[in-house]
Amino acid sequence: MNKITYKFFQKYIANFIIILAIISISILTYQGGVIGAFSSNNTQPIFCGKEHNNTISLMFNVYMGNEYVEQIINVLEKNNVKATFFVGGIWVEKNNDCFMKIYNSGNEIASHGYWHKDHSKITDQQQINEINLTHELVRDLTGINMTLFAPPSGAYNKMTAQIAESLGYKTIMWSKDTIDWRDQDEELLYTRATNAAQAGDLILMHPTQATANCLDKIIKKYIELGLNIDTVSKNIS
C-alpha cells in the first residue's frame, strides 16, 4: 500500500467512525419519536458570549477577496485589540500570503468550512468533509488546531452542531449582523455594530472596504462604552 493510498484509507476509516458516533448519539437522544439532536447544551450553536467577561467580539468571515484584510489587521493592531477570523478553506488555498498575515498578526483563526456550503442542505458526511478539509489545511500551514466553526450564511441543520462537536468544534453564530457583504454605507454599518452594544455581543463582519473604513470608529465606540474587545474564544469561555 503506497503512502497516498494509506492516507486516504486512514481518512476514510476516521470519517466512518465519526459517522457511527453521531448515529449512536442520535439514537441515545431519541425522545418520543423525535431525535433530540440539541438535547445537550454543549451541542447548541452559540449566539453570544458571557456577560460577566465584559467582552465584545469582532468576527470576520473571510471567504472571498483579500483587498481589505491588511487594512483591517492594521486597524486592530493600532487599537491593540484582537478579533476572530473565520476562514474558508478554498480562500486559504488561494490566498496563502494573506492568510499568513492574519495568523502572524496574532488574531484568532477559526473555520468557515471549505467550499462555503449551506450546511442546512448537505449530508452529514459533506459537513464532516467541510470541517475536516479546512482543519487539516490550516493545521498544515500553522500547526494550530482550530476549535470554532461558523456555518456559512448561518445555515445549519439539526446535526450540524453535533457533528462540529464530534470534531472538536463549537458552532458559532452572532448577536449582531452588520450585513456588510451587501450594504456599503459606513454609517449604517457603524450603527448596526454599535447600537445597544453590550457585553457578550458577537459582531458579524466581512473584510469589505466600508467595514475597513469604519472599523476604527466602531472600536473606539466600544472602548467608550467600557467594553473589552477580544476573540470569540475569550468571550465565550
Side-chain angles (χ1 to χ4, degrees), residues 75-237:
V75 172
L76 295 170
E77 288 182 346
K78 170 189 168 185
N79 288 280
N80 195 32
V81 299
K82 299 299 182 187
T84 300
F85 288 78
F86 290 84
V87 297
I90 191 63
W91 180 86
V92 175
E93 290 260 11
K94 296 178 179 179
N95 298 274
N96 267 202
D97 290 345
C98 188
F99 167 72
M100 291 307 296
K101 285 180 182 178
I102 298 173
Y103 172 68
N104 290 326
S105 69
N107 288 287
E108 183 173 39
I109 305 293
S111 175
H112 199 45
Y114 192 84
W115 291 106
H116 206 256
K117 295 284 188 180
D118 183 333
H119 280 250
S120 69
K121 297 178 180 177
I122 60 177
T123 66
D124 292 356
Q125 181 60 58
Q126 287 174 313
Q127 294 195 69
I128 291 169
N129 291 342
E130 284 288 305
I131 296 172
N132 271 345
L133 284 171
T134 308
H135 186 93
E136 291 169 7
L137 174 61
V138 170
R139 185 182 59 198
D140 288 347
L141 288 170
T142 66
I144 64 172
N145 288 301
M146 299 180 293
T147 59
L148 304 178
F149 169 63
S153 305
Y156 61 91
N157 63 29
K158 63 184 180 181
M159 292 302 297
T160 303
Q162 275 194 2
I163 288 169
E165 185 182 48
S166 74
L167 298 172
Y169 281 80
K170 293 177 180 174
T171 302
I172 306 297
M173 300 299 283
W174 60 82
S175 58
K176 293 187 186 304
D177 187 357
T178 60
I179 322 178
D180 55 356
W181 57 269
R182 185 189 71 192
D183 301 325
Q184 292 298 291
D185 182 323
E186 292 174 23
E187 283 302 314
L188 178 60
L189 302 187
Y190 170 80
T191 299
R192 287 173 178 163
T194 60
N195 186 42
Q198 60 186 348
D201 268 340
L202 304 178
I203 314 297
L204 179 59
M205 313 178 94
H206 298 78
T208 67
Q209 182 176 13
T211 292
N213 290 344
C214 68
L215 183 59
D216 186 70
K217 183 179 177 182
I218 290 170
I219 290 172
K220 284 180 167 53
K221 180 61 176 181
Y222 295 153
I223 294 172
E224 179 186 317
L225 293 171
L227 295 165
N228 302 318
I229 305 163
D230 214 331
T231 64
V232 173
S233 288
K234 295 281 184 65
N235 200 345
I236 66 176
S237 63

Side-chain angles (χ1 to χ4, degrees), residues 51-65:
E51 190 175 342
H52 66 77
N53 287 330
N54 196 42
T55 295
I56 200 164
S57 296
L58 300 169
M59 314 190 316
F60 294 94
N61 286 353
V62 188
Y63 55 88
M64 58 185 296

